[in-house]
Amino acid sequence: MNPFYLLSKSMQKKIWDMKWGRFTPIQEMVIPTIIHTNKDIVISSGTASGKTEAAFLPILTLIESTAGQSLKVIYISPLKALINNQFERIEKVSEHIHVPIHRWHGDVDQGKKKKFIQSPAGILQITPESIESLFVNRTEHIKRIFSDVEFFVIDEIHSFLDTERGVQLRSLLSRIENYCKNRPRIIGLSATIDNFDFIRSWINYCNTDNVEIIVSPGNDKELNYSLMHFQNDESFKKPVVFFEDLRELTRESKSIIFCNSRGEVEETTVFLNRLAKRENVGETYYAHHSSIDKQEREYVERTIANSSAPKSVVATSSLELGIDIGEIELVVQVDSTFTVSSLKQRLGRSGRKKDTNQYLQLYTTNQDSLLQSLAVMELLLEKWVEPSVGYPVPYDILFQQIVSICQEHNGITEIELINNLKGNHVFYFLPTEEIRMLIHHMINYDFLELINGSKELIVGLDGERILRDKDFYSVFMTSEEYEVVNGAKKIGQLDKKWLINEGDNIILAGKLWTIQGIEESKGKVYVTAAVNANPPRYFGDGSKIHSKISEKMHEILCSDEKFRYINKEALNELNDLRKAYHLNNIKSQQRVLWKQRDSYYFEGYTGTKIARTLVWMLRSFGVQVKKYDEFGRLEVTSSIYLLGTLEQITQKEWREEELIAFTREEEFFQSKYSALLPQELYMKMHILHEIDINGVVAFLKNIQIIVITMD
């Protein structure tokens, strides 16, 4: 049957009103599955393919007769801005059936929240942090709010799967289920997912067969892409010709220019606006990242979305997840993304308009970025993305959730708490004795208090300090920040770990500022518009690299592929990188160990986790590793016979614990609550998050190491 006729009359009328000629392929597949089955569903298709409508048209059909009386759908988003975008979209689809739609996050005023608490109904759009807040601050209303919920809709579900935030979300959904008359169905939306078995278990470990993953056959949009290389100078500054080329490219288009750090966003924005000013066209480029004040970010989003002129935004990943800024014609990536998934997500921001194609311009400014960009692009063309693997042994989030659960119940016995956690969809696999160890540790350190008479656990004095902190609701690490102000206007934030002084120039919100004062007690930095020519300070970020990307980089080094989409400078730089590999006839299954006097350079080209583990193993043999990077390239300063040591690594029977002694303080796993765990559980987290002995041994056994002496 045509899916149109499965929808309610109200939904059919809405589709007629919107003048839809046909459903998209993903809508054709999803609508019958939601209406005719009881399954959890993951909807995987590209951006602008109609995923949101694919989910909500049938959901609204199923709930429209009862949604006015009770809450039926909880829509979870990773971003407040995405909630605000989707609010109007969902409201538009549901306007004929009068389903109430509520937003709940930190920027929604208390009056609207109070109104929802008094009469919960329809659809609630919310972030994981705000769900946590409900459990902590509205405990007396939870049962009434959640009892009739039928659907959890998780937007951008891929952004949760491998993170501590995803553990928190899945725990919160399990806790909501405890108050529901029937288990709600989970509907996940994503443009970039892989490892379907893991996703099924994340959604419903009790019945993975009841999780349907619906993948769109793809879109008919043509991808147009190229890569331009402009080599940095000796001080690692981008050359002026790079900015001039970027300005020429984006002069007549509405673009998103993605950079990999906030500092690069600021530098690029200022430089491009200087070029635009030289042409007497005014401010054309706007900066967007998490350290810019929220009102300024929202202004930028509105400006780009509503402008008919060719204005562009320069952004970090803050605009990666689908916030609506209008019809973007071109996506630019400056230097490589850390993941294929991220590039795919960013690429999806273009070509959303009907009958338009996708346009991607890659720029690289150093040799590593050139090689990595080619590897990421080639893997994207091969339709590979990083598989989801989850967040191992989440004792840090368990700590936070125990505090929240004890607050929710205002007293719970140890047996009840353990049973609660063993029934939780994200903690069920943790050994009971280790859960008990954590509970007793929390009692001993006053995070929990045991009431003598009732034997109930409540939040202890130190637990109250954590619970009452404004950052309790978010489980990811956040740095202490200065608030940057110019007069009465908030400009944004600066991380306190960055060393700044009065008189320094900084770039923030796409403008150059001079620091006039730093008030530590109030956490404020006072700035004025810069009028001097002092060079500005820039600040950056980093990430882990999947082994597949590093391996592809090595494969490119060994190959003769000229890549039709790169410019002459890129090919010349690539050939220069390849010279030694081609001269020595290195194959893709081989790795080079360069020997020079008392030093070795091993170019492993493997994943970051394997690279770090290999470093710790080498240290355990007394090898001095001078430096190493995320691609598995390392320098050893020692007269030791390194090839023999690598062979010994593959033959030894290893225990992860013995590598702890060879791990530097800054190399240990860190999360928001990891330092509060019992040492045994903290070390277990470190081992499973950071150490991969089997990966190292398999890597070394599967490659042939070629020793080449350098003159």
Side-chain angles (χ1 to χ4, degrees), residues 529-670:
V531 293
N532 60 50
N534 295 337
R537 298 283 306 281
Y538 301 116
F539 310 103
D541 311 296
S543 186
K544 289 182 180 178
I545 304 295
H546 193 282
S547 58
K548 187 86 170 178
I549 294 174
S550 294
E551 289 164 6
K552 178 62 77 170
M553 291 168 68
H554 183 265
E555 181 184 313
I556 290 169
L557 282 175
C558 297
S559 79
D560 294 313
E561 175 68 50
K562 289 185 169 52
F563 302 104
R564 57 176 177 77
Y565 56 90
I566 68 177
N567 69 344
K568 181 181 178 182
E569 288 75 12
L571 184 58
N572 289 341
E573 203 71 42
L574 181 60
N575 287 337
D576 189 49
L577 279 168
R578 287 169 162 172
K579 199 172 293 179
Y581 274 71
H582 288 184
L583 185 64
N584 292 281
N585 197 28
I586 305 300
K587 307 299 182 187
S588 59
Q589 75 276 15
Q590 297 173 329
R591 294 295 186 276
V592 179
L593 182 58
W594 306 96
K595 188 176 188 318
Q596 184 178 30
R597 295 182 183 176
D598 292 335
S599 293
Y600 288 98
Y601 300 87
F602 179 57
E603 297 190 330
Y605 286 106
T606 186
T608 304
K609 189 173 179 180
I610 290 174
R612 288 181 180 173
T613 306
L614 177 58
V615 167
W616 299 328
M617 289 171 154
L618 288 169
R619 287 179 189 160
S620 75
F621 278 98
V623 176
Q624 299 174 31
V625 181
K626 183 177 180 181
K627 60 183 178 181
Y628 64 95
D629 67 15
E630 65 270 29
F631 305 115
R633 300 176 301 193
L634 54 91
E635 180 182 352
V636 171
T637 53
S638 173
S639 58
I640 193 169
Y641 180 52
L642 187 58
L643 188 61
T645 305
L646 293 173
E647 179 64 26
Q648 285 179 278
I649 285 173
T650 66
Q651 295 172 350
K652 179 178 174 178
E653 289 291 326
W654 290 94
R655 290 184 309 107
E656 286 88 353
E657 291 76 11
E658 65 188 287
L659 297 181
I660 300 298
F662 304 99
T663 306
R664 294 172 182 164
E665 184 178 348
E666 68 274 11
E667 295 171 335
F668 278 100
F669 170 79
Q670 278 189 319

Side-chain angles (χ1 to χ4, degrees), residues 455-469:
K455 299 298 181 185
E456 288 184 328
L457 296 167
I458 61 172
V459 180
L461 186 60
D462 283 339
E464 285 285 353
R465 290 194 183 99
I466 293 170
L467 182 68
R468 299 305 164 192
D469 189 284

Side-chain angles (χ1 to χ4, degrees), residues 36 169 292 300 360 515 577 679:
H36 284 322
L169 172 60
I292 295 174
V300 169
L360 170 66
I515 295 176
L577 279 168
Q679 186 69 5

Side-chain angles (χ1 to χ4, degrees), residues 32-45:
T33 311
I34 290 180
I35 288 180
H36 284 322
T37 77
N38 250 342
K39 290 187 173 185
D40 298 318
I41 298 167
V42 178
I43 304 170
S44 176
S45 67

Side-chain angles (χ1 to χ4, degrees), residues 318 330 423 437 565:
S318 61
L330 171 68
M437 179 199 302
Y565 56 90

